[in-house]
Structures are given as structure tokens and as C-alpha cells.
Amino acid sequence: MLDEQSPGNGSGKPALVEAGESLSLCRAAAVSGSVNASPSCRSVSGSVNASPSRRFLQVELELNLQLRRLRFSAPVCYTHNPLEYAWEPHRCYVEKYCRAGQRVLFLGMNPGPFGMAQTGVPFGEVRSVVDWLEITGEVGRPDNEHPKRRITGLSCTRSEVSGARFWGFFRKLCGEPAVFFRHCFVHNLCPLIFMSASGKNLTPPELPAAEREAMLNLCDAALCQVVAALNISMVIGVGRVAEQRARRALSAVSGVRVEGIMHPSPRNPRANKGWAEVASAKLAELGVLSLLSNTADT
């Protein structure tokens, strides 16, 4: 058991944060230790007419508070949340690229050890985050850090293959980030990364069932809030697990189409044989590929 906070009941779902509650939410986040009070409050305070990025950050801060109450048992020995220790680059990513008019949400499952765990950015392979997305910000250190999985932030020298493939594909296709983010945004369903005693990365399906469902129920509710806040009309799960979870979470939400593309993980033999070609064909089938060029209508 790693988290010394009292365990959650696994059934609560975060409610939408009203504008008048923004300051209280920031104070609560600071008390819980989830984020630094000053930058987070500057990001999320506002009115009911707050920008999409502020509404998005509100949802994430509330989810952080909910997740801190959970406990995880074996095989999980280490649980980290980059939306706490890597809040600065994450906030930079959201404020820079989350904007009105984005109708397509690419949804990953949870951070990888050399991607978002280091940078705070979904599929956040360091070179893509620094060189193409031009994200900056200080990255701290999580509590109870695994000695074999040190967090070195934007200075990390290891490359995450999934993230390099994902952002590399869109960099080649779009040229500039502004072209991609004109219609699309990228988000992870769950911000937590899990490791075993040996430092092995554990995916949510590898967690004890009851603990996994308690966590994912909270993440499902937050996804519904994100989709509503950003006025998303299509969610594209990156990988079958993310797609299936999105279908479950959004089953009662009207006007939102859920689809999926292959995950670019090197664990997937098909992805190793040409993920970019498979992804391109699927996005063309979904009508998304035509949006990702300099000649697409704005």
C-alpha cells in the first residue's frame, strides 16, 4: 500500500466544477499536495465563460483529488501522478494547445515510463515534446520514487517508442503543431503510472480488478466532463483498451462518436510492421485525415 491518504470508496464520481468553486478547488489541491497552489489557481480560476484550457484543467485537478484517496495493492508497489510533479509542462501543453473548435479527441490510456511520466504530456516522448511541441516547465520528483525509474523530466535521454511514433506521425503529416491542434487534442484517460517492485511498468488491466474499476470509474466520469467542456464530437481511442473504455464511459452521451486506432506500442507486432500506414488508413476512413493538412478548411 503506497498512498497514505485514506482510501476512496470507489463509487464517487467527480462533479463538474462550477466557476465559483475554482478557488476552493485550488486550495484543496494545494492542501492535498497534488499541485503547487499558485500556478494551478492562476490556471483554473475564472468564470463560467472560462476558456477550454481552464475548464480542462479544472476537471484534471478535481480528478487528482479523487485519485489521491485510492490505494493499490500487489502487484503495484509504486504509483505516480505526473499531473502533480510535472504540472508545469502539463499546464504549458494544455494552455498552449487546448482551444475552442477542437472536435476530435485522441485518447490514450495512461502514462508510459519514458513519455508522460517524464514530461506531463500524453504520449510525451521527450524530443517530440521539446522540439516539436515546444513545451517548457520544471519537473519535480514524485514521492517514493523507484530507484530504477528516476524522473529526469525534459532532460530524460531515453525515448519512448510509442510517443515517438505517435507525435512523429502527426509531425510528418501536419508540419506544424498548429495544424494538428486546429481540430484535435490529445488526452490520457488515467494520469497514473504503476510499477511493480522490480520497476516493471504495469498497465491498468494488470491491476487487481476491484481497485482498477474504482479508479477507472473516476476516470470515466472525468472523461465525460472533458468531452462536455471541450464540445468534442469524436473520441479516438489509441489502442483497444482505451477505445473500449471510452465506449463504456460515453455510452449514455449523445452526439459523441467513439472510434479507435491501433496503439503504436513496440509490444504490438503489427505496429512494428508499419504503424503509420495503418493509422493513416484508419484516419482516412474516419474522415479525420483530411483535417490534418495545411490546405484543410479552418
Side-chain angles (χ1 to χ4, degrees):
M1 303 287 186
L2 297 176
D3 193 331
E4 296 181 358
Q5 304 291 329
S6 59
N9 60 19
S11 61
K13 295 184 179 180
L16 278 169
V17 180
E18 298 296 334
E21 296 175 303
S22 295
L23 185 56
S24 296
L25 175 59
C26 291
R27 288 172 177 161
V31 168
S32 74
S34 62
V35 293
N36 178 279
S38 296
S40 63
C41 287
R42 285 198 298 269
S43 292
V44 302
S45 60
S47 68
V48 290
N49 296 318
S51 67
S53 64
R54 289 187 175 184
R55 294 196 297 270
F56 183 88
L57 290 170
Q58 284 182 329
V59 174
E60 291 193 308
L61 284 175
E62 176 68 10
L63 179 60
N64 276 359
L65 294 178
Q66 298 278 348
L67 292 174
R68 282 182 66 83
R69 301 187 181 105
L70 301 182
R71 293 174 183 261
F72 298 95
S73 57
V76 178
C77 288
Y78 296 82
T79 306
H80 301 324
N81 185 348
L83 299 194
E84 296 180 354
Y85 62 82
W87 177 255
E88 284 192 18
H90 177 75
R91 185 185 61 176
C92 177
Y93 163 72
V94 174
E95 291 182 341
K96 190 170 187 176
Y97 293 120
C98 183
R99 60 190 63 170
Q102 293 169 324
R103 298 301 176 89
V104 179
L105 182 69
F106 286 90
L107 184 72
M109 194 62 197
N110 73 309
F114 304 108
M116 186 174 177
Q118 301 291 336
T119 66
V121 176
F123 295 95
E125 188 263 343
V126 175
R127 294 274 58 84
S128 298
V129 168
V130 173
D131 296 341
W132 195 53
L133 299 179
E134 298 184 337
I135 298 302
T136 60
E138 182 179 351
V139 177
R141 306 286 284 272
D143 296 334
N144 196 29
E145 190 175 18
H146 194 289
K148 295 182 179 179
R149 292 288 182 263
R150 298 297 187 189
I151 299 300
T152 55
L154 302 183
S155 299
C156 179
T157 57
R158 293 194 60 170
S159 176
E160 182 182 74
V161 175
S162 295
R165 286 175 175 171
F166 182 86
W167 288 116
F169 170 74
F170 290 113
R171 182 176 189 173
K172 183 176 180 180
L173 182 65
C174 301
E176 298 297 328
V179 177
F180 175 81
F181 289 104
R182 185 168 54 201
H183 297 287
C184 304
F185 193 62
V186 184
H187 174 53
N188 271 340
L189 177 69
C190 175
L192 302 182
I193 181 169
F194 307 95
M195 286 170 280
S196 68
S198 68
K200 176 189 175 185
N201 180 47
L202 299 172
T203 61
E206 296 174 279
L207 273 56
E211 296 170 7
R212 178 182 67 241
E213 287 308 304
M215 174 192 71
L216 291 178
N217 284 340
L218 298 175
C219 297
D220 288 351
L223 176 62
C224 291
Q225 295 171 20
V226 163
V227 165
L230 303 186
N231 198 24
I232 295 295
S233 59
M234 179 184 291
V235 174
I236 300 177
V238 183
R240 185 168 298 177
V241 175
E243 178 188 354
Q244 290 175 343
R245 198 71 203 189
R247 289 188 185 280
R248 174 174 173 173
L250 299 168
S251 60
V253 179
S254 61
V256 180
R257 179 181 173 188
V258 178
E259 298 289 348
I261 61 171
M262 181 192 298
H263 199 285
S265 171
R267 295 182 181 182
N268 183 346
R270 289 186 62 205
N272 293 334
K273 295 179 180 179
W275 178 81
E277 291 77 10
V278 175
S280 181
K282 184 63 177 181
L283 293 177
E285 176 188 323
L286 297 178
V288 174
L289 195 66
S290 61
L291 302 176
L292 302 175
S293 70
N294 283 311
T295 59
D297 294 335
T298 57

